Each structure stands twice: as C-alpha cells, then as structure tokens.
C-alpha cells in the first residue's frame, strides 16, 4: 500500500553506501515522497526505480568526495555553494510534510533550511559522532543543530546513541532503530560457489566494505602477511574520496608479495552471494562502527565473523557469542583469530546457528521498516493535527 506522507528524503551523495542501501529500503512504497540529492550518481537511478520524484541540486556535484574528516575551514570556499543548496532544500520542503535527512552533511544543511521553511525534521544518523570520526567543531555544530531543529534522531545502535548523547545530543530526540537486512539468496555449497565465481579452493577469508582508512583493510593485509596459506578477497571500492588509500592498499599487497593470494574484486552487487563463498568474513574497522551491515549479512549467510571490538560490533555479535571479537588495529590478534577460526570450522557450528537466529530475530528488514514507518506516521499526525 502506498504511504500517504509526503516526505522529502535528503542525502548528500549519489553513491550507494550502507546508509543509502537503508534509504532504498525506507523509500519503498513511498511514491508521494521525493528525494533531494546533492549530486547525481548510481543512487539517482535506484531511487527513480522506486518511483520517487528526484530533485538534484545544481550546486552539490562532487561534495561527497569531500572527506568527512576534512575541516570546515577547508570547506569555506564552498560556503556559497552550501548556501545555495540550503535554499534549494528549503524550497523543496514547501511541498512536503516531513524532511528526512539521511546523512550528516544532509542534516546540517537541512537543519539550516528548516529555519527558513519549518517542517518536522528527522535525522537518520548513520554515523558515530565521536572524536575518532569527527572534529570537535563538527561535533558541536551537528549536535547544536540537532538539539535546536531535529524532531527525531534515528540511530542504528546503542553505540551511535551513546556517542550522540556524549557529544551533548538531547536524549529525548533519540530513537534506536537497528538496521534490518533482507535474507540472502538460497544456499549453494561453498565449493560450488567458489567454482562459479572463479575463486581458489583453499582457506579463504573476505572483507566486504568500501575502501576507507577507518574500515581497516590495511590491518587485514598486515595480518595476512603472517598467514602464508590463507587467501583473501577484498570486495569494495573507494566511494567517498579515498582513492589514495585504495591505491596504497594495492601497492602494499604487491610490495609484500601477496598478490597471488589477496585479490581485489572492486565494488560488487552480489555481496550476499560472494560472502557465502568464504570461510570467514573479516570486519577490521579501526574506529567504532556505527552499525555494520556486513556483520549481519555474514551472520545471515552462515559465515563465521571476525570483527573488531568497537562501536556496534560487540552488540550485534552479542559480546562474542555470535562471532569472534578482536581488538581494533592489532594485526597480530587478527591473524591469531583468523588462524583459529580456519583451523576448527566444525567447532563453530553452534555459533553459526546462534548468529543466524539472532540476525533473523533482531535485524530483519520488516522490523526496521515498521519502526521507521511509525516515527514518520507519528510526526505526520502531529504536523497535521
Ligand atoms: N557493499 C556492496 N558492494 C561492495 C561492498 C559493500 O554492495 O562491493 C555493501 C555491503 O554488502 C553492505 C554495504 O555495502 O550492505 C555497506 O554497509 P556497512 O553498514 O557495512 O558499511 P558502510 O559502508 O555503510 O559504512
Ligand atoms: C554508515 C555506517 C555503517 C552503517 C550504515 C547504515 O555508513 O558506517 O556502520 O551500517 O551507515 O546505517
């Protein structure tokens, strides 16, 4: 059934990262809504395919390639463009009942636009507002705007909620809605998949995140250098201006003589299938992960997870019952955990079953959509009452 609310979804990027994959689920059945994107990209077509009206800023192209840890000083020459985008968002808000910002940059501009055209404003905060991820000024600006203008701040985990409040965010704004994932395709045997995908037969691990320093692919490469028999697929590409990091990773693999067992597969659209082909999924983020869809994807795929113990990961993995936790940024500990998981696959069957049950029960897509739908409906009711 089509939802009645006219929501203006705002995102700064045209790329499809984890936050945008969530957005694509949230907009399902919302043909009366529109999406305002700062720039064009693969996300534009994906949203148009969902029958949303698409508005693309005239001024935002390329802004998503601005690293999010860049200081606002670097952004100063862009002030004119940002002001123009604020005006565009304000204008688009007029014909909508609710504004829903799906990224940090989208929220900052939407919150300022909200001073010009007042609408209930939802911030779906997919980030951890902690010192590891944002400078002090950025944290202060974001939280001040949230406290002043947001009607609700949806976060995907307790860790993201805690960081928002530790930065001064108002507790009453926060609504924790864990991300929800669809079930993966029907199982095929691991060896069958390896053959079909042209992957080698021996011990194989994989990492399935966009390439970015904080996602920690370099730590995994360091760990692999000490595990002579283990192959690895590195799936994902630099989406938000991290091309130098991607080049560095490839260079390290060559220099360390790992090219025959570490393969870069680039950005792929078949991650849930690829995941089923590996013996373990490694999640090596060195900074706290706000949620980490790939953790749940691996749990649903029945693949052992080895993840760093920071952000939402320990929660999702239930303190280590649903996967192996290792300290962040510690190649030695990671290598040890990989070796141990690969050495005793049968011993993990209980953990895998528990993980899959947990993922289905706690992190299903319907549960997420119901919770977000309720937030939107309540605000709509309040706005039109
Ligand atoms: N992903 C993908 N293709 C790739 C690499 C990743 O489709 O080549 C997907 C991955 O399956 C996951 C999402 O991108 O669903 C990334 O979300 P996550 O929450 O793990 O991290 P983010 O990149 O949003 O920080
Ligand atoms: C962000 C976070 C990731 C989260 C995703 C969806 O990109 O980095 O941890 O899973 O958004 O909420």
């Amino acid at each position: 059934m089509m939802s009645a609310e006219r929501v203006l979804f705002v995102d700064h990027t045209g790329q499809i990262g984890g936050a945008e994959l969530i957005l694509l689920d949230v907009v399902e059945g919302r043909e009366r809504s529109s999406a305002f994107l700062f720039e064009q990209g693969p996300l534009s077509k994906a949203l148009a395919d969902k029958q949303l009206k698409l508005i693309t800023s005239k001024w935002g192209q390329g802004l998503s390639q601005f690293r999010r840890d860049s200081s606002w000083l670097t952004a100063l020459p862009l002030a004119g463009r940002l002001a123009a985008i604020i005006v565009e968002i304000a204008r688009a808000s007029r014909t909508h009942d609710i504004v829903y910002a799906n990224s940090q940059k989208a929220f900052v501009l939407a919150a300022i636009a909200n001073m010009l055209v007042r609408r209930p404003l939802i911030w779906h905060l997919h980030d951890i507002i902690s010192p590891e991820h944002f400078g002090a000024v950025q944290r202060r600006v974001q939280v001040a705007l949230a406290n002043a203008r947001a009607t609700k701040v949806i976060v995907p985990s307790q860790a993201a909620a805690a960081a928002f409040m530790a930065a001064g965010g108002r507790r009453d704004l926060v609504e924790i809605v864990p991300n929800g994932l669809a079930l993966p395709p029907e199982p095929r045997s691991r060896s069958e998949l390896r053959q079909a995908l042209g992957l080698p037969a021996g011990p194989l691990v994989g990492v399935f995140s966009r390439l970015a320093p904080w996602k920690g692919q370099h730590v995994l490469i360091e760990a692999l250098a000490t595990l002579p028999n283990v192959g690895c697929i590195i799936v994902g590409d630099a989406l938000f201006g991290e091309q130098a990091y991607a080049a560095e990773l490839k260079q390290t693999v060559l220099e360390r003589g790992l090219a025959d067992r570490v393969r870069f597969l680039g950005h792929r659209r078949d991650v849930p299938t690829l995941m089923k082909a590996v013996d373990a999924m490694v999640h090596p983020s060195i900074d706290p992960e706000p949620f980490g869809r790939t953790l749940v994807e691996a749990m649903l795929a029945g693949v052992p997870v080895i993840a760093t113990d920071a952000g939402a990961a320990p929660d999702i993995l239930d303190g280590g019952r649903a996967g192996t936790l290792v300290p962040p940024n510690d190649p030695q500990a990671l290598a040890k955990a990989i070796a141990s998981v690969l050495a005793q696959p049968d011993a993990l069957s209980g953990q895998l079953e528990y993980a899959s049950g947990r993922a289905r029960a706690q992190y299903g897509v319907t549960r997420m959509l119901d919770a977000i739908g309720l937030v939107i409906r309540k605000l709509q009711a309040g706005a039109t009452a």
Side-chain angles (χ1 to χ4, degrees):
M1 204 179 67
M2 189 166 80
S3 300
E5 304 92 10
R6 297 178 309 167
V7 183
L8 180 67
F9 293 95
V10 186
D11 207 315
H12 73 288
T13 182
Q15 299 294 333
I16 305 183
E20 289 68 40
L21 288 168
I22 299 288
L23 178 67
L24 285 169
D25 283 334
V26 172
V27 302
E28 191 73 55
R30 296 193 172 276
E31 289 92 344
R32 297 192 70 205
S33 295
S34 312
F36 179 100
L37 300 185
F38 291 13
E39 63 178 11
Q40 259 179 343
L43 182 61
S44 316
K45 181 177 178 320
L47 285 165
D49 286 347
K50 303 258 177 179
Q51 314 304 324
L52 252 72
K53 186 179 155 217
L54 203 64
I55 309 166
T56 309
S57 166
K58 288 194 186 72
W59 306 98
Q61 197 67 37
L63 278 187
S64 77
Q65 300 300 310
F66 240 79
R67 292 271 306 281
R68 66 173 167 186
D69 54 1
S70 320
S71 79
W72 281 84
L73 273 183
T74 336
L76 259 185
L78 293 170
R81 278 169 74 193
L82 298 178
I85 300 172
I86 289 167
V87 172
E88 289 176 319
I89 297 174
R91 196 173 301 139
S93 304
R94 286 212 175 92
T95 48
H96 294 83
D97 308 315
I98 292 169
V99 178
Y100 187 116
N102 194 58
S103 66
Q104 168 257 342
K105 289 176 180 136
F107 173 71
V108 169
L109 301 200
I112 301 171
N114 195 264
M115 298 172 191
L116 305 172
V117 176
R118 219 191 170 105
R119 291 288 180 276
L121 174 60
I122 298 172
W123 182 11
H124 198 156
L125 167 54
H126 295 279
D127 296 300
I128 285 205
I129 306 197
S130 69
E132 292 94 340
H133 287 284
F134 294 98
V137 176
Q138 275 178 306
R139 292 203 306 279
R140 223 171 292 138
V141 169
Q142 289 169 39
V143 165
L145 284 171
N147 288 348
R149 309 308 299 188
T151 327
K152 269 285 162 222
V153 177
I154 299 175
V155 288
S157 61
Q158 185 59 50
F164 174 73
M165 291 185 293
R170 271 167 48 200
R171 178 182 292 267
D172 62 299
L173 292 177
V174 176
E175 184 89 24
I176 301 178
V177 180
N179 285 335
L181 279 291
L183 293 178
E186 279 305 298
R188 277 162 82 188
S189 82
R190 200 161 280 169
S191 56
E192 212 186 333
L193 272 174
R194 292 257 185 113
Q195 261 191 340
L197 295 162
L199 296 173
L204 185 70
V205 300
V207 58
F208 300 84
S209 298
R210 59 196 164 81
L211 306 181
W214 76 271
K215 291 288 188 182
Q217 284 92 351
H218 59 288
V219 183
L220 174 57
I221 293 173
E222 285 300 313
L224 288 163
T226 67
L227 296 166
N229 300 315
V230 180
C232 175
I233 52 174
I234 299 187
V235 179
D237 208 344
L239 292 188
F240 303 117
E242 299 95 348
Q243 279 77 8
Y245 179 68
E248 217 175 279
L249 289 177
K250 289 172 188 162
Q251 187 61 28
T252 310
V253 164
L254 283 178
E255 281 169 9
R256 295 295 199 107
L258 300 173
D260 54 337
R261 48 192 184 92
V262 178
R263 283 172 57 180
F264 289 89
L265 300 192
H267 183 84
R268 298 279 294 231
R269 304 195 75 155
D270 56 349
V271 166
T273 305
L274 271 175
M275 246 182 208
K276 281 177 185 275
V278 298
D279 300 304
M281 194 287 278
V282 181
H283 184 88
S285 299
I286 58 172
D287 291 339
E289 184 70 47
F291 183 85
R293 287 168 50 99
T294 53
L295 297 167
V296 176
E297 285 167 339
M299 287 159 78
L300 290 171
V303 174
V305 178
I306 302 166
T308 45
D309 193 1
D315 228 12
I316 294 173
L317 298 177
D318 199 8
R321 280 185 73 197
T324 306
L325 290 166
V326 294
N329 213 356
D330 186 341
Q332 266 180 345
L334 181 57
K336 215 167 134 201
I338 293 174
S340 145
V341 164
L342 294 179
Q344 40 157 356
D346 296 336
L348 290 173
S349 61
Q351 184 191 83
L352 293 182
E353 205 170 308
Y354 177 71
S356 149
R358 178 173 172 77
R360 281 159 203 261
Q362 309 278 334
Y363 304 112
V365 73
T366 312
R367 194 183 165 127
M368 173 185 77
L369 294 179
D370 285 352
I372 294 176
L374 192 63
V375 171
I376 294 176
R377 272 203 309 284
K378 274 191 189 158
L379 293 196
Q380 170 87 6
T384 50

